[in-house]
Amino acid sequence: MFMPSLKTYDLFISHAWTYNDEYYKMVNMLKQTPLFTWRNYSVPEHDPLKAKTDAQLYAALQNQIRPVNAVIVLAGMYAAYRKWIEAEIEIAKSYKKPIIGVKPWGNALVPKIVQDSAKTVVGWNTASIVEAIRKYSL
């Protein structure tokens, strides 16, 4: 049986440090997925960007998002962190990066900007998330 070589997906996971649990659950889900290889271009709290102003942070986020295959937006944190999640969506769109929205457990509503910007919105389910990444990644 012929096995194709696996693609390594470069991903940016939009998240807020206050909601690190969701971010780390997503990272662990992806790490534990068999036959799925990826590199993390996100900005976790333990490895922050070196930016002192909003303009520097925006430019640094551009550098993080520019090389990725897809941007994953954890839709549950939108309300509290709207400014930067909108900035990340704006940057992703400017580079024509596919956006994959992920609804957290128990959330039926997804913010309109995420719905309007995402190629797809999936539930908090490893198979659905990985399938969307494979389908929509550049």
Side-chain angles (χ1 to χ4, degrees), residues 89 93 99 110-119 121:
I89 289 170
K93 288 167 76 173
I99 297 167
V110 173
K112 184 163 176 35
I113 189 170
V114 177
Q115 288 177 31
D116 292 347
S117 303
K119 290 280 189 184
V121 176

Side-chain angles (χ1 to χ4, degrees), residues 5 42 51 65 126:
S5 61
S42 307
I65 292 171
T126 306

Side-chain angles (χ1 to χ4, degrees), residues 3 14 27 35 61 74 79 98 109:
M3 281 295 285
S14 178
V27 167
L35 303 176
L61 286 169
L74 302 177
L109 300 176

Side-chain angles (χ1 to χ4, degrees), residues 3 7 18 34 38 45 74 116:
M3 281 295 285
K7 175 181 172 91
T18 305
W38 69 291
E45 187 173 21
L74 302 177
D116 292 347

Side-chain angles (χ1 to χ4, degrees), residues 40 60 103 110 113 122:
N40 191 347
K103 287 188 288 192
V110 173
I113 189 170
V122 297

Side-chain angles (χ1 to χ4, degrees), residues 52-73:
K52 291 182 173 53
T53 67
D54 283 0
Q56 289 174 339
L57 181 55
Y58 192 89
L61 286 169
Q62 286 178 306
N63 291 334
Q64 292 296 115
I65 292 171
R66 185 180 299 118
V68 302
N69 300 114
V71 173
I72 298 171
V73 176

